[in-house]
């Protein structure tokens, strides 16, 4: 196995192109290294991009937030911009794996792995995020809603790298939250995760709602029925309670080694309610 | 503990400096020159005939130096002899060992494993013990053992143990209330931090040295001799002083036989390190139980009859004597706490096509306690009584014969449960829950675990500088036995701990011991070391007597000197018993030598006196230790998640040998009890483990156990006269009460009685939802 550690995006793209599609790109490597050591992954080349210059940043301007592809999960934790305006992402960062893993794993890498239970996808989807992918032929922006195809599969093309994640500015009276259920507080994969991003008008009526569900479908999905139900309604406790019930229509989870379908189904409304209630608090706070 | 020099005090664990500084070496760290790496090919089928095994492609790989199958090792484990070292003509569970290889690298070994072709023909499989023992079982895995009256039992029934007292029918007829329930427990793994390691080195004379992290060195020696068909004197088992945990799954032989057999083929050292997946599915697991319990009680809460029928899921084989012992010892969990005049118990151990049930901290008693202590609360509730009151009303006391005919002695149930109740403020309602979707309450349970009183031997060598060396084959899997043994020697010779060294277990040097199981170590090794000290003193005093012109019986020792009692000025330093001898050439000397001897070693064996019931019937020698626990917790009624606000754990250690180590057992036991109580359960799909890894099998992290300020512990001493210096075995009792205390609190908080453990948040949430739906 070849091991390459390019210094610039151009070098990285060249290395990937040269490896001819059988290369595996790692940044933190927290997931891939396990695949190589324990699950039989045998890449012909391992291209470590963690030294690429200038890709680790969190910046905000009037249009919104930009997160460099090599920003690690721990960089999100306690970041004042994220805490204030992109709460769902901060929630997910805090509960992500363990400190050691958070210091290595990157936000983009987590998306690229396309794990059905990955903790980065639901909050970023609820915040309306998109991914900037770069290839030798240029850049393109991919809405996260369209990004995931299934477990370990995304729309990224061979030879493409994620360069940045963009989140549009949420604007006033917006709020977001991520409610996540696991058995342990740390080092435990998500059983059900629900992220909500909402916007309220002066009468607390929902003018925009994005909800994303994790661990209940082969890929992170938006809760279209809940979103439609919420739109235009005043976000009362009663509406939140009903929205929880509506969430049952948005995914049909399966049983696996972490939880039964029955438990997941029972938890979807609970976490939807909790996520929405906290998003409302954030919007009004 | 009063009137002691050093025993009972919180002396520093002699292994801590190395462990804390990261210098401690474990078996997994070991390498030898020319060492090969081993891998084991394991069955992908739950139950199948082996039609053929073709190892030719594996053997042809350059760098692969040994390939073995069951045909090379046709040895069956003892009692009842159902388990081969490698499969012979059949595999009985997914993970069953089929073949093994040793190669120059791990990668080559894995390549070789992949190149072995096995043809299987599937057989029917059975996974539920209640189905397996029925007439309708799809398959019989092994011949059945003998049951009541010595008759061969029904399908797949490997072991039976029964106990009875009084007249059960009469008891139930006298009862005002009959309470019947069915409880279950899940399969769990000990999950020690260090996996099983065996590094074997067989020379051209078939002398075999095995470095391993076993809990039972002499048993490994014996078994490997049988597997290799050589005399046991050729087998030497060496256990590094540091072992990364055991908790039961490192008892008896695990990878040692396979590594030794490979090394004999290759004539090179072979290291076999189990992967985490192998530790989970292919060592031994905690027997899942189904427990039917029927009680008859009077209106005032007096127990008049109790019948228990427990079904133990054995898995595919028997781990030697452990199978029968768990079946037997599970009974102790039903008899150590309460007076029951009319009693009957039947435990059946039943084969299924799953991983093998073996020793696991609690040894069957944790499972029985779960059922009994849940049941006591149910009785209290049905009678409208306080759960503590019902318990206190029925307690066995010193001098009672328990339902199994043991004369009870040093009973610690009352003082431990009363102290637990006091510290949890029993009777005072719990505070309001913190979460708006939670309910909060308290629960209590009494844990009682027998500690088996086994046999052990020890030797003390006195060095020429007057220091002491302890030779014992007791392995320290974290419980601190090395420290306690050193402390006993320091006590007996009145010296500092630094004057005592405990050498590593090496069966060429350290004498016979029966292994670290059944909370037995403190008592048996404590006695053995104490007796060895006595013998060493005898030899020492005999030598000193001549020099001091005193009778040996008038001598005593302290601080490295032997002196005449009452005349401390008539003394000699121990090191002066070793003398330099002139060489002839002036100014040159030999030595120091011990005159007319090779060395000063005092050895001794401890063998417990037999126990007898009231009619003179022989009983295995055991003692009973107690640990009562009380918990204040809240349950999120939506998610089923449990948050423990306070956990009180009160231990009766007899007299603790080392206070801090006893507390360490309580703290560790709470983590273990919470892990197996609410988090840990192995799951399967058609016999295939689905969570045999530490990602999906959730053991508690430091953040999942109560904080120091939420964990309240104390010790209530009893006087166990038969223990060394009054000590009891405590390693397992500390884990027995936790799950029932939690379940009782959940019931109190939510109205839901969960009868299956572990009390996972999923199980609790689904039970609450079902209960709420039934109330509408």
């Amino acid at each position: 196995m070849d091991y390459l550690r390019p210094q610039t995006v151009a070098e990285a793209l060249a290395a990937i192109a040269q490896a001819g599609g059988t290369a595996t790109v790692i940044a933190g490597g927290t997931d891939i290294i396990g695949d190589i050591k324990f699950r039989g992954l045998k890449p012909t080349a391992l291209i470590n991009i963690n030294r690429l210059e200038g890709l680790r940043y969190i910046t905000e301007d009037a249009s919104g937030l930009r997160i460099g592809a090599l920003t690690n999960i721990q960089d999100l934790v306690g970041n004042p911009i994220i805490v204030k305006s992109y709460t769902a992402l901060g929630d997910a960062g805090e509960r992500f794996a363990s400190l050691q893993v958070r210091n290595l794993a990157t936000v983009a890498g987590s998306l690229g792995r396309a794990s059905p239970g990955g903790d980065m996808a639901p909050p970023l989807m609820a915040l309306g995020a998109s991914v900037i992918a770069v290839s030798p032929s240029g850049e393109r922006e991919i809405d996260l809603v369209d990004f995931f195809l299934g477990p370990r599969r995304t729309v990224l093309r061979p030879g493409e790298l994620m360069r940045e994640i963009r989140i549009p500015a949420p604007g006033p009276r917006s709020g977001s939250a991520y409610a996540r259920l696991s058995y342990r507080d740390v080092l435990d994969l998500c059983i059900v995760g629900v992220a909500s991003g909402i916007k309220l008008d002066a009468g607390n009526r929902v003018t925009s709602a994005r909800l994303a569900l994790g661990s209940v479908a082969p890929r992170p999905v938006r809760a279209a029925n809940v979103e439609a139900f919420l739109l235009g309604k005043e976000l009362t406790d009663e509406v939140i309670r009903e929205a929880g019930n509506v969430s049952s229509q948005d995914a049909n989870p399966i049983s696996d080694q972490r939880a039964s379908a029955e438990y997941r189904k029972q938890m979807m409304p609970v976490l939807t309610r909790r996520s929405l209630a906290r998003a409302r608090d954030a919007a009004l706070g | 503990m009063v009137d002691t020099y050093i025993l009972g005090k919180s002396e520093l664990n002699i292994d801590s400096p190395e462990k804390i500084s990261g210098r401690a070496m474990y078996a997994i760290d070991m390498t030898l020159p020319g060492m090969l790496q081993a891998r084991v090919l394991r069955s992908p089928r739950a139950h199948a005939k082996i039609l053929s095994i073709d190892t030719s492609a594996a053997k042809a790989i350059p760098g692969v130096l040994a390939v073995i199958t069951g045909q090379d090792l046709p040895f069956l484990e003892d009692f009842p002899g159902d388990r081969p070292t490698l499969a012979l003509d059949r595999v009985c569970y997914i993970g069953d060992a089929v073949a093994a290889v040793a190669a120059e690298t791990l990668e080559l070994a894995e390549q070789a494993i992949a190149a072995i072709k096995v043809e299987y023909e599937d057989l029917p499989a059975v996974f539920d013990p209640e189905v397996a023992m029925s007439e309708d079982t799809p398959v019989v895995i092994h011949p059945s053992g003998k049951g009541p009256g010595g008759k061969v039992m029904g399908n797949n029934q490997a072991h039976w143990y029964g106990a009875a007292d009084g007249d059960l029918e009469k008891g139930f007829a006298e009862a005002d209330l009959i309470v019947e329930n069915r409880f279950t427990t899940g399969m769990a793994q000990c999950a020690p931090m260090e996996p099983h390691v065996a590094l074997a080195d067989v020379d051209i004379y078939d002398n075999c040295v095995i470095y391993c992290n076993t809990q039972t060195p002499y048993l490994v020696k014996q078994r490997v001799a049988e597997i290799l068909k050589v005399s046991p004197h050729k087998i030497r088992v060496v256990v590094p002083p540091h072992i990364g945990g055991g908790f039961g799954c490192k008892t008896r032989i695990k990878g040692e036989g396979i590594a030794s057999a490979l090394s004999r083929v290759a004539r090179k050292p072979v290291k076999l390190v189990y992967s985490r997946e192998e530790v989970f599915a292919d060592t031994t697991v905690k027997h899942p139980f189904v427990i039917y319990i029927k009680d008859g009680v009077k209106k005032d809460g007096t127990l008049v009859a109790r019948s228990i029928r427990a079904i133990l899921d054995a898995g595919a084989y028997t781990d030697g004597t452990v199978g029968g012992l768990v079946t037997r010892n599970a009974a102790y969990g039903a008899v150590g706490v309460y007076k029951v005049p009319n009693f009957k118990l039947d435990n059946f151990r039943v084969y299924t096509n799953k991983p093998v049930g073996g020793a696991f901290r609690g040894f069957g008693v944790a499972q029985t306690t779960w059922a009994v202590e849940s049941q006591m609360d149910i009785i209290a509730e049905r009678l409208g009584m306080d759960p503590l009151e019902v318990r206190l009303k029925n307690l066995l006391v010193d001098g009672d014969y328990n339902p199994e005919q043991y004369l009870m002695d040093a009973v610690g149930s009352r003082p431990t449960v009363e102290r637990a109740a006091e510290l949890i403020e029993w009777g005072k309602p719990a505070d309001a829950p913190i979460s708006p979707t939670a309910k909060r309450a308290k629960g209590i349970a009494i844990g009682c675990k027998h500690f088996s009183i086994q046999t052990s031997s020890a030797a003390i060598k006195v060095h020429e500088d007057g220091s002491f060396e302890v030779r014992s084959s007791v392995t320290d899997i974290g419980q601190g036995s090395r420290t306690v043994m050193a402390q006993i020697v320091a006590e007996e010779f009145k010296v500092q701990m630094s004057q005592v060294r405990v050498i590593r277990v090496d069966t060429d040097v350290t004498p016979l011991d029966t292994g670290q199981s059944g909370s037995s170590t403190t008592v048996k090794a404590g006695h053995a070391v104490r007796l060895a000290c006595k013998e060493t003193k005898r030899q020492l005093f005999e030598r000193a007597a001549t020099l001091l012109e005193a009778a040996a019986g008038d001598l005593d020792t302290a601080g490295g000197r032997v002196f005449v009692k009452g005349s401390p000025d008539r003394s000699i330093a121990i090191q002066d018993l070793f003398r330099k001898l002139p060489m002839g050439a002036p100014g040159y000397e030999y030595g120091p030598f011990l005159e007319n001897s090779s060395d000063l070693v005092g050895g001794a064996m401890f063998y417990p006196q037999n126990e007898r019931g009231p009619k003179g019937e022989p009983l295995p020698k055991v003692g009973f230790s107690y640990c009562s626990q009380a918990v204040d917790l809240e349950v999120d009624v939506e998610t089923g998640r449990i948050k423990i606000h306070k956990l009180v754990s009160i231990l009766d250690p007899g007299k603790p040998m080392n206070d801090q180590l006893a507390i360490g057992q309580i703290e560790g036991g709470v983590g273990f009890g919470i892990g197996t109580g609410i988090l840990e359960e192995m799951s399967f799909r058609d016999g295939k483990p689905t969570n045999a890894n530490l990602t999906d099998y959730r053991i508690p992290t430091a953040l999942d156990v109560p904080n120091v300020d939420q964990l309240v512990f104390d010790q209530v001493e009893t006087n166990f006269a038969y223990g060394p210096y009054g000590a009891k075995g405590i390693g397992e009792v500390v884990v027995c009460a936790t799950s029932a205390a939690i379940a009782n609190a959940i019931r109190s908080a939510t109205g839901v009685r969960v009868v299956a453990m572990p009390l996972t948040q999923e199980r609790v949430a689904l039970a609450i939802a079902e209960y709420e739906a039934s109330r509408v």
Side-chain angles (χ1 to χ4, degrees):
Chain A
M1 181 177 76
D2 292 327
Y3 177 74
L4 303 162
R5 201 170 66 193
Q7 299 291 320
T8 65
V9 173
E11 275 175 39
L13 290 173
I16 295 166
Q18 199 175 355
T22 55
T24 293
V25 174
I26 66 165
T30 52
D31 217 1
I32 302 262
I33 298 297
D35 282 0
I36 293 172
K37 285 182 83 163
F38 304 116
R39 291 179 284 273
L41 179 68
K42 291 189 181 359
T44 54
L46 199 59
I47 301 175
N48 186 343
I49 58 166
N50 67 4
R51 300 278 177 98
L52 297 191
E53 289 153 11
L55 289 187
R56 183 176 172 187
Y57 55 83
I58 299 170
T59 55
E60 193 187 32
D61 60 23
S63 68
L65 193 74
R66 292 161 189 268
I67 301 173
L70 291 179
T71 303
N72 71 38
I73 310 295
Q74 188 62 18
D75 292 336
L76 307 174
V77 178
N79 179 296
I81 304 166
I82 289 174
V83 170
K84 179 167 176 283
S85 309
Y86 307 89
T87 323
L89 190 56
D91 290 347
E94 277 177 20
R95 295 288 301 276
F96 194 97
S98 65
L99 179 61
Q100 291 90 332
V101 173
R102 289 196 294 271
N103 275 324
L104 283 171
T106 62
V107 180
S110 176
L111 296 177
R113 293 298 285 160
S115 163
D119 279 314
M120 284 294 114
L124 285 168
M125 284 167 80
L127 291 164
S130 57
V131 166
I132 307 297
V134 56
S135 70
S137 52
E139 284 194 353
R140 62 176 179 135
E141 182 165 358
I142 309 161
D143 192 313
L144 260 194
V145 173
D146 307 319
F147 185 76
F148 303 102
L149 296 173
R152 303 276 181 259
R153 287 167 51 232
T154 69
V155 299
L156 284 179
R157 298 174 190 132
E160 241 177 353
L161 270 185
M162 282 178 271
R163 189 178 63 73
E164 188 176 87
I165 294 147
R166 283 184 191 163
I167 305 176
R173 295 185 70 82
S174 295
S176 70
Y178 179 50
R180 170 196 200 274
L181 187 70
S182 59
Y183 272 38
R184 294 187 302 216
D185 283 334
V186 292
L187 278 172
D188 204 359
L189 296 166
C190 181
I191 294 170
V192 175
V194 180
S196 302
I198 53 158
K199 197 166 181 168
L200 304 177
D201 68 11
N204 290 349
R205 278 182 298 272
V206 179
T207 58
S208 159
R210 289 196 207 94
L211 279 89
L213 312 173
S215 296
V216 292
R219 58 192 176 93
V221 291
R222 286 269 292 270
N225 290 298
V226 179
E227 292 173 0
F229 168 81
L230 288 172
L231 218 54
K233 290 202 175 65
E234 188 185 339
L235 199 52
T236 59
D237 290 346
E238 181 55 25
V239 165
I240 288 177
R241 203 184 59 75
E242 280 179 47
N245 298 339
V246 172
S247 72
S248 305
Q249 301 159 26
D250 279 313
N252 193 19
I254 57 160
S255 292
D256 64 16
Q257 67 276 21
R258 278 174 219 121
S260 69
E262 195 187 359
Y263 185 48
R264 286 199 166 100
K265 279 178 194 155
Q266 195 172 307
M267 290 304 101
M268 277 168 54
V270 172
L271 290 161
T272 300
R273 290 199 298 269
R274 292 182 182 190
S275 158
L276 271 174
R278 280 168 40 208
R280 179 182 61 185
D281 291 348
L284 300 177
Chain B
M1 191 176 278
V2 289
D3 297 334
T4 60
Y5 169 73
I6 201 164
L7 266 181
K9 300 199 168 92
S10 294
E11 288 297 316
L12 179 71
N13 185 321
I14 59 173
D15 293 330
S16 290
E18 275 180 289
K19 284 187 174 169
I20 288 164
S21 61
R23 287 174 174 84
M25 296 295 282
Y26 296 79
I28 200 169
D29 299 315
M30 289 191 66
T31 58
L32 290 176
M35 186 177 87
L36 306 178
Q37 301 284 349
R39 292 304 291 154
V40 178
L41 177 67
R42 296 187 178 278
S43 167
R45 312 291 181 99
H47 198 195
K49 261 193 231 170
I50 297 176
L51 299 178
S52 69
I53 305 181
D54 180 358
T55 58
S56 54
K59 283 177 174 161
I61 298 171
V64 174
L65 297 173
V67 180
I68 56 170
T69 68
Q71 298 311 315
D72 301 306
L73 304 167
F75 167 74
L76 294 173
E77 262 280 26
D78 61 339
F79 303 112
D82 55 29
R83 186 177 204 186
T85 304
L86 292 170
L88 295 171
D89 53 2
R90 192 167 59 123
V91 289
C92 293
Y93 72 99
I94 293 174
D96 208 350
V98 175
V101 304
E104 283 166 0
T105 65
L106 207 50
E107 290 69 28
L108 279 173
E110 268 158 15
Q111 225 177 301
I113 285 296
I116 297 172
K117 292 183 197 75
V118 187
E119 248 187 298
Y120 295 104
E121 182 187 301
D122 279 326
L123 295 167
V126 62
F127 305 115
D128 180 331
E130 291 192 279
V131 174
M133 73 193 293
S134 74
E135 290 296 318
D136 303 327
T137 181
V139 69
V140 171
I141 301 169
H142 301 294
S144 295
K146 286 181 181 164
K151 292 199 186 103
V152 173
M153 291 185 286
N155 293 330
N156 291 309
Q157 295 172 36
H159 296 88
W160 166 78
Y161 176 76
D165 193 18
D167 180 340
L168 196 66
E169 292 317 310
K170 182 173 143 277
F172 283 128
E174 284 170 5
D176 296 322
L177 175 70
I178 305 284
V179 181
E180 274 185 272
N181 284 293
R182 177 183 188 268
F183 297 92
T184 63
T185 69
M187 187 187 288
Q189 225 297 321
C190 297
M193 209 183 289
E194 184 191 24
H196 298 62
V197 178
L199 167 52
D201 189 6
V202 182
D203 70 12
I204 57 168
Y205 309 107
D206 282 351
N207 291 307
C208 174
V209 188
I210 306 160
Y211 304 90
C212 57
N213 50 12
T214 183
Q215 295 176 231
T216 51
Y218 268 89
L219 204 134
V220 168
K221 177 183 163 99
Q222 188 187 334
R223 289 282 166 270
V224 172
E226 285 163 357
I227 290 170
L228 297 185
K229 293 195 167 61
V230 298
S231 169
H233 84 267
K234 286 183 174 289
I235 311 295
R236 175 182 171 204
V237 177
V238 181
V239 184
H242 308 295
I243 298 177
F247 314 108
C249 72
K250 287 178 182 161
T251 50
R252 302 191 63 82
I253 191 166
K254 293 294 180 286
E256 293 90 349
I258 293 172
S260 305
L262 287 167
S263 177
R264 182 160 68 172
V265 174
R267 300 291 175 190
K268 280 169 175 281
V270 172
K271 189 177 187 183
L272 174 59
V273 179
Y274 275 28
S275 69
R276 185 55 67 181
E277 288 71 17
E278 287 177 301
V279 172
F280 267 100
D282 310 316
T283 61
T284 45
V285 298
K286 181 183 185 182
H287 288 80
F289 275 43
V290 180
I291 301 163
Y292 293 90
I293 179 166
K294 179 180 174 186
D295 287 338
V297 284
K298 295 295 235 184
K299 274 189 194 122
D300 68 354
T302 308
L303 271 169
V304 286
R306 166 166 284 172
S307 81
I308 291 178
R309 183 167 176 270
I311 295 140
L312 291 69
D313 187 344
Y317 296 106
T318 299
D319 197 32
T321 48
V322 167
L325 283 174
V326 173
T327 314
R328 197 234 167 282
N329 292 0
Y332 289 123
V335 300
V337 180
Y338 302 112
K339 260 184 231 173
V340 190
N342 304 293
F343 180 85
K344 189 167 187 318
L345 171 144
D346 291 277
N347 292 344
F348 297 89
R349 183 171 180 273
V350 180
Y351 293 120
T352 60
N353 295 107
K354 286 192 297 199
V356 182
F360 187 103
R361 194 177 191 182
F363 217 87
V365 172
Q367 293 93 319
T368 324
T369 305
W370 149 250
V372 168
E373 287 300 300
S374 295
Q375 178 83 349
M376 293 308 288
D377 260 47
I378 296 171
I379 290 169
E381 190 179 325
R382 296 276 299 276
L383 292 172
M385 289 177 70
D386 182 280
L388 178 63
E389 191 193 339
V390 168
R391 285 180 171 82
L392 292 175
K393 198 172 186 65
N394 289 289
L395 292 180
L396 287 162
V397 297
D398 284 13
D400 283 340
Y401 280 97
N402 81 8
E404 240 188 335
Q405 311 311 321
Y406 276 96
L407 183 60
M408 300 305 286
D409 167 37
V411 173
S413 47
R414 179 177 288 272
T416 57
V417 76
E418 284 183 340
R419 182 80 176 126
E422 180 191 339
L423 290 174
I424 202 81
E425 298 181 272
W426 190 255
K428 183 183 159 202
D431 292 345
I434 291 168
S435 159
T437 55
K439 291 181 176 172
R440 183 168 173 178
K442 298 174 188 176
I444 200 161
I446 302 174
C448 168
K449 169 83 178 52
H450 71 290
F451 45 99
S452 64
I453 300 182
Q454 301 177 7
T455 297
S456 191
S457 53
I460 311 296
K461 174 174 170 156
V462 183
H463 282 265
E464 70 273 16
D465 61 356
S467 70
F468 301 88
E469 171 188 310
V470 183
R471 297 173 180 174
S472 158
S473 293
V474 161
T475 60
D476 194 332
I477 51 176
Q479 76 275 40
S481 54
R482 285 165 45 80
T483 304
V484 166
M485 289 191 292
Q487 218 164 333
I488 290 171
V489 176
E491 174 72 30
E492 288 295 327
F493 288 93
K494 305 281 183 289
V495 294
Q496 296 297 306
M497 289 286 279
S498 58
Q499 287 297 99
V500 187
R501 185 166 68 101
V502 183
I503 63 165
R504 70 174 176 178
V505 173
D506 178 340
T507 58
D508 270 8
V509 182
T510 55
L512 189 69
D513 172 74
T514 50
Q516 277 49 76
S517 66
S519 306
S520 65
T521 300
T522 296
V523 171
K524 70 175 171 182
H527 276 307
V529 170
R530 181 182 60 82
L531 293 170
C533 288
K534 196 174 161 196
E535 167 59 17
T536 309
K537 279 189 208 170
R538 191 192 63 76
Q539 294 182 24
L540 196 62
F541 294 169
E542 204 166 86
R543 284 181 176 278
T546 328
L547 299 166
L548 292 172
E549 294 171 350
D554 292 337
L555 301 183
D556 202 352
T557 181
R561 298 188 75 82
V562 178
F563 58 89
V564 181
K565 281 182 217 165
S567 314
D569 50 322
R570 286 173 66 199
S571 72
I572 183 170
I574 291 173
Q575 64 203 59
D576 291 340
L577 298 172
F578 296 81
R579 302 190 28 202
K580 297 223 169 158
L581 302 172
M583 250 178 99
Y588 291 90
E589 295 173 309
Y590 296 112
F593 276 93
L594 190 64
E595 260 181 286
N596 304 321
S597 184
S598 60
D599 47 19
L600 207 168
V601 178
M605 183 199 71
F606 168 70
Y607 177 69
Q609 70 200 43
N610 281 325
E611 184 131 2
R612 300 222 170 250
K615 298 179 203 96
E617 63 274 30
L619 292 163
K621 182 72 184 170
V622 301
F624 294 93
S625 51
Y626 295 82
C627 182
S628 294
Q629 296 185 337
V631 64
D632 168 2
L633 57 76
E634 69 178 69
V635 195
D636 187 318
V637 295
E638 292 183 335
T639 63
R641 188 154 167 123
I642 294 161
K643 182 175 167 46
I644 292 173
H645 289 295
K646 187 171 178 179
L647 197 150
V648 177
S649 185
I650 310 297
L651 174 68
D652 149 34
K655 307 282 180 205
M657 293 281 210
N658 179 315
D659 209 46
Q660 189 60 46
L661 288 175
I663 289 166
Q665 287 286 9
I666 301 175
E667 287 179 320
V670 165
F672 206 91
I674 288 174
T676 50
I678 69 179
L679 286 170
E680 301 177 34
E681 183 168 24
M682 287 177 68
S683 59
F684 295 85
R685 195 176 299 123
D686 299 327
K688 189 175 168 52
T690 55
N691 63 347
N693 59 69
L694 291 176
T695 305
D696 298 319
Y697 181 93
R698 305 157 176 112
I699 59 172
T701 71
L703 298 180
D704 300 301
V705 296
N707 284 330
V708 177
D709 56 339
Q710 296 164 325
L711 175 60
V712 180
F713 45 76
D714 200 357
Q715 300 181 72
V716 180
E717 294 185 8
T718 53
N719 184 25
F720 181 58
Y722 197 72
Y725 315 95
K728 291 182 173 184
I730 59 165
E732 297 174 284
V733 69
V734 290
V735 309
C736 291
T738 320
S739 48
I742 291 172
N744 293 340
I746 291 173
R747 164 71 188 184
S748 198
T750 66
V752 173
R753 169 61 60 181
V754 185
V755 291
M757 81 167 266
L759 302 147
T760 62
Q761 61 191 50
E762 167 164 341
R763 196 165 267 145
V764 172
L766 295 176
I768 291 172
E770 194 186 332
Y771 173 77
E772 294 295 336
S774 74
R775 282 171 23 131
V776 173

